[in-house]
Amino acid sequence: MIDLPAHAARAIARLEDAGYETWAVGGCVRDSLRGAQPHDWDLCTAARPAQMQAVFADGRVLETGLRHGTLTLLTDGGPLEITSFRMDGGYTDGRHPDGVRFVTDVTADLARRDFTVGAMAWHPDRGLCDPFGGLDDLQDGVLRAVGDADARFTEDALRILRGVRFASQLGFSVEPGTAAAMRRQAGRLANVSAERVRAELTGLLCGRFAQRTLLDYADIVTVALPELAPMVGCAQQHPYHRYDVWEHSVRALGQIPADPALRWAMLLHDSGKPACKTVDENGVGHFYGHPGVSRALAEQVTRRLRFAGEQAARIVLLVEQHDRPLGDSDKLVRRRLAQVGEARFRDLLAVKKADAVGQETHPEDIGLLLETERRLAVVLAQDACLSLRQLAVDGNDMQAFGLSGPAVGEMLRALLDAVLDGELDNTRAALLAHARARMEGAL
Ligand code: ATP
Ligand code: MG
């Protein structure tokens, strides 16, 4: 039994009253049946696009997908996507149907869908329509392609990434024949737009079962992210590191909150290691300079996958700085806070904790990070001066001393450094005295 929200029930009733068979379909049926709250409700209907428009002529309607039979009805309960029953034509580009054919049979519509658990429809009176065994697969926790798996992934390679993303979000296993077809057709991911690859991979990285999925499907993920392929199987040969670079990164990712930028930063933080690896005479591996190379790869990946500038910058900063100390004294904590700000400082704390846990060899590192966190709280509670703006003197004061041009900024920065280092109180008198002493060459 599915608890249909009122806005969806009303839309189904209106279309049915007009003579068009209509069902709730796809993810909302899957999620309801597994006891999860659907994040949106989609309907499918025997009404053709023009007939849907006629039924909802008095409603607020977006016609963005109308060519493929989809209309969005804006209701008080949220937007509803309603799609005419359709079969897809050929897929010459390996991603989009060349055309669609509207049909009258809901089973034909379900047959074009990618996985059986998403190929079920539900109606408040008629109940479940499940021609491909979706309910059994849902109960068994299995993702299975509808029909011939190779054909389905050849038609639209995005389905391969949807499959691994669903595995990560739902914790389902992929039916072996379907998984084999995903692997055989993975090369076709080149047909998928950067935006869609980014969205699916981000969903995968933030899934509850991301760690397991990234280990099981490293080969598919690194087709979408070829920059990271050398991480897989790259042994670290170091007493602190029990796992290869890929497995360490994935385990670290599993330890950080499911915020997209944090998850991406964890996946990318050691991506430069394979290129930096050297082995010393004792057989121990070293990765000198790897944060810089990881940073370059993070820039490349975020640019290629068209991340928004702000998110890309956050990821790149975390990757670049993941190995730099955050400070084991109030003075260092103040300096790092002044450099990166509180939000990035907290991000870096999370990154470093996850990195340490992902190594599984040095639990004392966590203790040090907790100490840094405690110092952060102390420094923030002091309302310490962390920026030029917060200094108790400004450029005018320096000009009154006879300084001009770049010398003004240099003096202010020297004063801020002294305050951050705890050498000087942020009071007007102390700052002016210090500035005078510096000008007189006493410091
Ligand atoms: P979620 O919304 O949680 O990502 P979903 O299964 O609802 O999962 P949507 O992208 O909302 O996914 O699509 C709704 C339904 O449309 C799916 O359940 C599936 O039946 C079908 N579908 C979506 N994308 C494809 C695709 N690329 N190929 C085949 N069927 C698809
Ligand atoms: Mg959906």
Side-chain angles (χ1 to χ4, degrees):
M1 191 53 194
I2 287 179
D3 210 2
L4 208 59
H7 67 293
R10 256 196 313 272
I12 291 178
R14 285 196 65 179
L15 284 159
E16 296 248 340
D17 287 348
Y20 306 112
E21 182 183 323
T22 301
W23 304 72
V25 71
C28 60
V29 176
R30 177 196 66 219
D31 290 337
S32 299
L33 290 173
R34 67 187 184 92
Q37 182 64 40
H39 52 81
D40 44 30
W41 290 82
D42 300 328
L43 308 183
C44 62
T45 180
R48 301 281 185 100
Q51 294 167 327
M52 290 197 277
Q53 284 174 300
V55 170
F56 296 113
D58 60 345
R60 287 173 297 153
V61 161
L62 304 178
E63 298 175 1
T64 38
L66 214 55
R67 227 163 37 89
H68 292 100
T70 303
L71 162 160
T72 304
L73 182 66
L74 302 172
T75 77
D76 296 342
L80 269 181
E81 267 204 359
I82 313 178
T83 304
S84 306
F85 294 157
R86 63 169 224 234
M87 282 165 59
D88 296 337
Y91 283 78
T92 35
D93 70 353
R95 173 67 190 100
H96 304 98
D98 301 332
V100 301
R101 195 149 59 82
F102 297 118
V103 295
T104 52
D105 179 15
V106 65
T107 302
D109 181 82
L110 293 174
R112 72 172 170 88
R113 295 169 184 271
D114 45 6
F115 297 98
T116 60
V117 293
M120 291 184 277
W122 193 81
H123 185 278
D125 304 324
R126 294 187 293 272
L128 192 66
C129 177
D130 177 23
F132 304 106
L135 186 59
D136 282 345
D137 285 338
L138 191 68
Q139 275 155 359
D140 296 341
V142 169
L143 290 161
R144 182 193 311 271
V146 174
D148 182 82
D150 281 287
R152 306 320 306 281
F153 298 133
T154 306
E155 288 167 357
D156 177 4
L158 177 68
R159 294 168 182 163
I160 299 168
L161 287 184
R162 282 171 54 86
V164 282
R165 193 248 301 172
F166 286 136
S168 171
Q169 292 177 331
L170 304 172
F172 285 15
S173 60
V174 183
E175 178 270 323
T178 300
M182 283 164 60
R183 297 200 148 93
R184 277 193 295 273
Q185 307 305 338
R188 299 177 190 272
L189 287 173
N191 296 323
V192 181
S193 75
E195 289 79 4
R196 295 310 301 262
V197 171
R198 184 189 67 228
E200 295 300 333
L201 288 178
T202 300
L204 191 177
L205 298 191
C206 293
R208 257 186 74 199
F209 303 89
Q211 189 168 314
R212 195 169 87 195
T213 306
L214 286 166
L215 293 178
D216 290 350
Y217 298 98
D219 51 347
I220 293 177
V221 173
T222 53
V223 172
L225 290 170
E227 296 90 344
L228 310 193
M231 294 163 71
V232 181
C234 178
Q236 306 213 55
Q237 296 176 241
H238 194 281
Y240 284 16
H241 286 281
R242 155 175 317 172
Y243 304 110
D244 74 17
V245 175
W246 178 259
E247 183 163 357
H248 158 65
S249 303
V250 168
R251 285 176 176 272
L253 175 150
Q255 295 300 326
I256 206 157
D259 169 295
L262 294 180
R263 290 271 162 120
W264 273 102
M266 266 0 267
L267 188 70
L268 295 165
H269 80 284
D270 275 350
S271 57
K273 276 191 167 176
C276 296
K277 180 173 173 179
T278 56
V279 179
D280 68 20
E281 63 277 12
N282 301 317
V284 173
H286 299 281
F287 302 92
Y288 300 115
H290 81 270
V293 179
S294 299
R295 176 211 152 100
L297 285 169
E299 279 176 339
Q300 191 179 324
V301 168
T302 52
R303 199 175 317 125
R304 184 171 63 76
L305 296 185
R306 308 215 176 119
F307 278 71
E310 206 174 306
Q311 193 175 42
R314 182 172 167 212
I315 294 167
V316 168
L317 178 113
L318 299 181
V319 169
E320 178 192 54
Q321 305 212 356
H322 78 269
D323 224 17
R324 263 187 234 170
L326 273 180
D328 49 12
S329 68
D330 290 359
K331 172 171 148 178
L332 286 177
V333 166
R334 271 197 303 270
R335 276 198 169 254
R336 295 290 273 132
L337 258 180
Q339 282 164 7
V340 299
E342 184 186 344
R344 292 301 85 79
F345 191 103
R346 290 191 186 280
D347 281 353
L348 284 166
L349 258 177
V351 164
K352 293 175 82 66
K353 278 190 209 163
D355 194 9
V357 178
Q359 286 169 5
E360 278 188 20
T361 50
H362 265 58
E364 64 271 26
D365 289 353
I366 301 293
L368 293 176
L369 290 165
L370 293 176
E371 173 61 14
T372 301
E373 197 164 17
R374 196 190 60 77
R375 287 183 188 281
L376 172 67
V378 170
V379 167
L380 289 174
Q382 287 165 346
D383 212 5
C385 167
L386 298 171
S387 66
L388 293 177
R389 254 186 313 109
Q390 291 167 285
L391 273 180
V393 294
D394 63 16
N396 294 330
D397 297 310
M398 299 303 112
Q399 279 163 2
F401 271 150
L403 290 177
S404 62
V408 172
E410 278 165 29
M411 179 62 84
L412 288 172
R413 261 186 301 276
L415 293 176
L416 177 62
D417 281 346
V419 170
L420 290 171
D421 286 353
E423 293 166 6
L424 202 56
D425 288 338
N426 184 29
T427 62
R428 224 180 128 67
L431 294 170
L432 291 176
H434 192 84
R436 181 167 299 119
R438 277 184 74 95
M439 284 181 64
E440 288 164 0
L443 289 171

